[in-house]
Amino acid sequence: MAFEWPVRVYWEDTDAGGIVFHANYLKYFERARTEWLRARGIEQGALREQTGGVFVVTDSHLRYLRPARLDDALIVTAKVQETGRASLSMLQQVLLKTEQAAQQTASLLVEAVIRVGWVDASTLRPARMPPWLLERLS
């Protein structure tokens, strides 16, 4: 089951035509991953202080299917696809939330696979995630 985080599209998210600027989907995905961690009781600032490590995006692949527009209500999802000792692969989606009760399924707008690596915060070199963290994220 994927974690879901609601987003509303504001002027600041759009281009002159009222369409969400393509790079802003990366921001939506980042925020959803952060909220996914918080839902598991993990705050990234405290995690850095406690372990000396941080997550960094190492790879992203996005597929744009349909645009989101000004004032749209969106659902941004995050789901672990694969875990390793030093990285996670996340499947993420942006869905257009339907306001009509008759239409039950949300429309897929953007789909992404984002890989995040675990690095030592002081050197930014890859490191192994603490076992307790891996367990909480799996």
Side-chain angles (χ1 to χ4, degrees):
M1 181 135 195
F3 172 80
E4 295 183 354
W5 181 67
V7 171
R8 173 74 63 186
V9 176
Y10 298 108
W11 274 117
E12 68 185 21
D13 300 320
T14 66
D15 60 17
I19 304 294
V20 171
F21 182 67
H22 69 279
N24 286 330
Y25 292 104
L26 290 169
K27 293 178 183 181
Y28 297 160
F29 291 139
E30 176 73 27
R31 292 172 188 165
R33 287 192 309 277
T34 297
E35 295 304 325
W36 169 76
L37 285 170
R38 285 178 196 228
R40 283 160 178 70
I42 301 167
E43 292 193 25
Q44 294 187 72
L47 185 62
R48 179 183 177 156
E49 289 178 20
Q50 182 182 359
T51 65
V54 294
F55 289 108
V56 295
V57 173
T58 60
D59 187 57
S60 59
H61 176 79
L62 282 72
R63 201 174 105 212
Y64 301 94
L65 302 167
R66 291 183 45 212
R69 301 172 189 276
L70 179 65
D71 291 327
D72 280 350
L74 307 176
I75 301 166
V76 184
T77 68
K79 182 179 180 180
V80 174
Q81 191 174 43
E82 180 184 341
T83 58
R85 298 286 298 150
S87 68
L88 296 172
S89 180
M90 306 280 300
L91 175 61
Q92 295 196 255
Q93 296 180 326
V94 174
L95 306 162
L96 178 62
K97 184 177 178 182
T98 178
E99 303 290 338
Q100 302 168 352
Q103 186 181 358
Q104 296 296 324
T105 58
S107 300
L108 178 61
L109 304 181
V110 180
E111 189 169 51
V113 175
I114 310 283
R115 179 171 291 281
V116 292
W118 182 254
V119 298
D120 179 286
S122 61
T123 65
L124 297 180
R125 292 186 182 193
R128 289 185 172 202
M129 278 185 263
W132 65 266
L133 179 59
L134 252 177
E135 186 177 313
R136 282 174 93 175
L137 300 180
S138 297

